[in-house]
Amino acid sequence: MNLAQEIARRRTFAIISHPDAGKTTLTEKLLLYGGAIHLAGSVKARKTARHAVSDWMEIEKQRGISVTSSVLQFDYDGHHVNILDTPGHQDFSEDTYRTLMAADSAVMLIDVAKGVEAQTEKLFRVCSDRGIPIFTFVNKIDHFGRNPFDLMEEIENMLGIRACPMNWPVGINGNYQGIYERDTGMIHLFAKAGDHGQKKLAVMSGRPDDASIREQLGEEVIRQLQDDIELLDIAGDSFDAEKVAHGQLTPMYFGSAMTNFGVQPFLESFLTLAPAPAARQAAEGIVEPDSDAFSAFVFKIQANMDPKHHDRIVFMRICSGAFTKGMSVVHRQSGKTIRLAQPQQFLATERTIIDTAFPGDIIGVFDPGTMGVGDTLCDAKNLVTFADFPVFPPELFARVTPKDSMKRKQFLKGMNQLAQEGAIQVYTQGEGRESFIIGAVGRLQWEVLEYRLQNEYNVTVELTPLPYSVARWVLDARPADLTGLGTSLIIYDSRQRPVILLANDWQANWLVERNPNVTFVASPPLTVDTPAAP
Ligand code: G4P
């Protein structure tokens, strides 16, 4: 197979949802149908085990899951599928944003009884801001659910995207018994198995006018279905690949991940309609996936996957060119040439060493500490930098000190590694930069920091929250030359750039007004073309 064919058969996507909508269950069922696992329950079992333990352990277990399943990959019907695992916790995290950067499309999972929930909406916005196509799977139709027209309207009103149902639930007043496929005109009825769909499902199928189907469903249900479909055909949006590609239309599917109902038809339709890896914007111009030159960016780093070995795995998404094991590439941010030895791919619970990979694929490589989240790797003959990686304005700040001053060395090591991993933003303060301040988007990041410093570096820290919620980077002045600093705090980021911490937006605006000739920015500026300060 040549490069273009390898690209054309790849589908790299993330599932976005509010907790409990069924993401773990759906992921697992996709793996089941993809042949990657043979009995559903392994991903789920680990997740259920998590519920039984304490909060701290929960973070760790959650990491455990996202570690082994950072990306799940399988082949189906000629397609090569990469499912990116987004962290499932309630707290909105930078990690999720970054993972979505590596996706070419997203599956938005909605609970049929609950509709669009808070987290669904936030994640939807991230995807739609990036312009990636979104497919909707309405889950749990084996249970009582809301009227499908209401759900369509909710998606359109809350998310501003039109919905095009590809199938339709069969049943009255939320008591669903199956689905009707709009393109084939077939009805599939579910047989409730009661084993949480551990194995693939046998379904009864037929046309609405088949005697067996009519007998099973009854005249009233058939009439309701015919009315609904007529209304959809007349008043609904028809499928339009262009609109899907531009994020204006979401193909909508109904099903039940737990009972496997509708999972396989969804998978098949999704794989046909979802986009293959496309061109990506780099600072130097557009990078076409079928270019001969390899390029990739790091979207996730996982240190200490095996606490005994202190290993550090860097996950990168390939954007162009073919990857071969042991190839040498340029790390743009340091200018160093790096040999990508022992590349790994992750399949359900195992990792395997791979020889080749193509655009859309995610590979993990061991790295001693050179690469950071957002960094680009590329062919020496064609230097590119993926510069639009999101960096978030931190909103929560705290001073961090090790409780045991003898442990300062481990403390510094831990802070540096976790900062590079993107787990937290680390700043320094004071003449000798002796004091550490962390910045985060959500409070969970603090908890993870404390927990990981304790568990991976054996350092107990004290976190003292600071009364600031806004940061401003100063680009072209020394802090000492600024006026209107008031009660703000001057700190330095990892590249030694000054940052002013302020209590609120009002104070930030005041500072900007008082210093009209100075450039202030709200999030850390990317310095892609200049290597990081040593
Ligand atoms: P999440 O990853 O999005 O948080 O959701 P998860 O898959 O863990 O599913 C959340 C709950 O919803 C689970 O129930 C799961 O069994 C249930 N669920 C998922 N898909 C379906 C479906 O199609 N129909 C129905 N009726 N339920 C579904 P739980 O009570 O938390 O766990 P368990 O007792 O089932 O193990």
Side-chain angles (χ1 to χ4, degrees):
M1 221 179 280
N2 64 27
L3 180 60
Q5 288 166 326
E6 289 287 5
I7 295 167
R9 74 189 194 100
R10 273 167 168 73
R11 299 288 181 273
T12 302
F13 65 97
I15 303 176
I16 57 172
S17 65
H18 194 83
D20 271 346
K23 184 159 70 92
T24 314
T25 313
L26 180 66
T27 306
E28 187 157 86
K29 297 311 168 70
L30 295 176
L31 293 178
L32 180 73
Y33 280 100
I37 53 172
H38 296 291
L39 198 63
S42 49
V43 180
K44 184 77 192 164
R46 278 182 287 150
K47 189 179 155 170
T48 317
R50 192 182 89 205
H51 290 307
V53 289
S54 76
D55 277 2
W56 296 127
M57 283 302 289
E58 182 168 331
I59 292 168
E60 179 61 0
K61 290 280 179 206
Q62 195 142 359
R63 272 192 70 223
I65 287 177
S66 59
V67 168
T68 42
S69 58
S70 282
V71 62
L72 298 158
Q73 155 257 315
F74 61 87
D75 283 300
Y76 186 90
D77 211 9
H79 290 291
H80 185 80
V81 182
N82 294 301
I83 308 180
L84 294 158
D85 188 33
T86 51
H89 43 67
Q90 196 102 26
D91 218 33
F92 200 39
S93 80
E94 298 188 55
D95 219 23
T96 310
Y97 268 120
R98 297 192 191 115
T99 300
L100 292 173
M101 292 297 293
D104 295 316
S105 60
V107 172
M108 176 167 75
L109 187 68
I110 289 175
D111 183 324
V112 69
K114 296 188 177 152
V116 176
E117 296 176 85
Q119 191 84 332
T120 334
E121 194 175 349
K122 278 187 186 169
L123 292 164
F124 173 87
R125 300 265 169 247
V126 178
C127 295
S128 87
D129 285 352
R130 275 204 51 224
I132 68 173
I134 296 163
F135 292 71
T136 302
F137 186 88
V138 181
N139 192 27
K140 307 197 186 182
I141 62 159
D142 56 307
H143 258 202
F144 271 98
R146 286 172 47 189
N147 179 304
F149 285 110
D150 288 351
L151 289 171
M152 275 174 77
E153 203 176 291
E154 186 166 286
I155 290 175
E156 290 170 5
N157 292 342
M158 285 179 73
L159 306 177
I161 188 170
R162 307 285 297 177
C164 163
M166 308 299 280
N167 64 19
W168 196 249
V170 179
I172 294 177
N173 296 332
N175 183 14
Y176 300 122
Q177 298 173 54
I179 46 172
Y180 170 82
E181 253 171 20
R182 290 183 72 196
D183 59 345
T184 60
M186 294 289 283
I187 288 180
H188 303 289
L189 298 182
F190 32 84
K192 288 185 185 170
D195 66 349
H196 278 210
Q198 285 189 324
K199 304 206 186 74
K200 292 184 193 174
L201 185 78
V203 286
M204 175 180 169
S205 305
R207 302 200 165 271
D209 45 12
D210 285 354
S212 58
I213 294 285
R214 294 190 92 87
E215 190 184 329
Q216 191 80 18
L217 288 175
E219 293 302 322
E220 199 191 344
V221 173
I222 299 279
R223 203 173 320 114
Q224 174 80 54
L225 175 69
Q226 281 164 339
D227 287 351
D228 284 0
I229 298 302
E230 202 179 302
L231 186 59
L232 276 183
D233 287 346
I234 299 168
D237 289 70
S238 46
F239 179 80
D240 180 332
E242 265 305 282
K243 286 187 180 163
V244 174
H246 290 99
Q248 294 157 352
L249 183 72
T250 177
M252 186 177 185
Y253 301 80
F254 292 82
S256 157
M258 189 180 82
T259 60
N260 298 354
F261 194 77
V263 172
Q264 192 169 17
F266 163 71
L267 178 64
E268 288 174 4
S269 172
F270 171 74
L271 292 180
T272 313
L273 303 176
R280 292 211 166 214
Q281 182 73 47
E284 296 77 3
I286 299 278
V287 176
E288 294 292 343
D290 60 356
S291 146
D292 287 340
F294 171 86
S295 68
F297 66 85
V298 175
F299 68 96
K300 180 184 177 103
I301 294 178
Q302 200 84 58
N304 305 333
M305 277 172 84
D306 178 351
K308 285 195 245 28
H309 294 107
H310 284 283
D311 55 358
R312 183 175 185 274
I313 291 200
V314 167
F315 292 92
M316 59 185 82
R317 138 111 200 188
I318 302 177
C319 298
S320 68
F323 166 84
T324 46
K325 186 171 133 191
M327 81 192 291
S328 290
V329 294
V330 174
H331 173 236
R332 278 298 262 160
Q333 279 67 17
S334 68
K336 284 186 188 163
T337 298
I338 295 178
R339 192 164 167 266
L340 300 178
Q342 288 202 305
Q344 323 231 347
Q345 260 182 357
F346 297 79
L347 186 94
T349 49
E350 301 128 40
R351 351 172 168 165
T352 46
I353 304 274
I354 49 146
D355 294 322
T356 49
F358 300 95
D361 287 345
I362 311 299
I363 54 171
V365 295
F366 289 106
D367 171 61
T370 314
M371 296 182 241
V373 157
D375 289 1
T376 303
L377 295 134
C378 60
D379 192 316
K381 292 193 293 294
N382 191 15
L383 296 176
V384 293
T385 331
F386 295 104
D388 65 346
F389 205 78
V391 191
F392 298 91
E395 290 169 13
L396 295 168
F397 300 91
R399 191 178 299 284
V400 197
T401 40
K403 282 198 175 144
D404 179 350
S405 56
M406 301 294 284
K407 298 245 174 92
R408 194 159 172 87
K409 205 170 145 208
Q410 281 117 293
F411 168 73
L412 292 179
K413 185 174 169 202
M415 291 289 281
N416 275 334
Q417 289 191 350
L418 295 177
Q420 209 180 18
E421 227 182 272
I424 200 97
Q425 295 176 20
V426 176
Y427 305 88
T428 48
Q429 191 214 348
E431 284 282 301
R433 309 275 193 269
E434 65 284 350
S435 179
F436 282 88
I437 289 175
I438 52 167
V441 178
R443 196 165 272 275
L444 183 74
Q445 281 175 265
W446 288 8
E447 293 173 18
V448 171
L449 175 87
E450 266 186 298
Y451 182 78
R452 292 189 58 189
L453 282 173
Q454 171 83 61
N455 277 269
E456 292 163 27
Y457 302 91
N458 199 19
V459 183
T460 315
V461 289
E462 183 148 338
L463 289 186
T464 316
L466 296 173
Y468 305 105
S469 65
V470 180
R472 288 288 179 268
W473 272 253
V474 189
L475 296 192
D476 43 14
R478 290 183 315 150
D481 299 334
L482 299 175
T483 54
L485 283 169
T487 55
S488 63
L489 186 70
I490 299 163
I491 59 175
Y492 293 85
D493 73 6
S494 59
R495 291 169 196 263
Q496 302 303 321
R497 295 173 301 201
V499 186
I500 317 289
L501 297 190
L502 302 123
N504 48 41
D505 281 326
W506 189 88
Q507 289 200 0
N509 292 340
W510 170 254
L511 179 69
V512 173
E513 275 170 30
R514 295 293 307 274
N515 299 277
N517 300 321
V518 178
T519 316
F520 294 95
V521 289
S523 34
L526 283 164
T527 51
V528 286
D529 286 322
T530 47

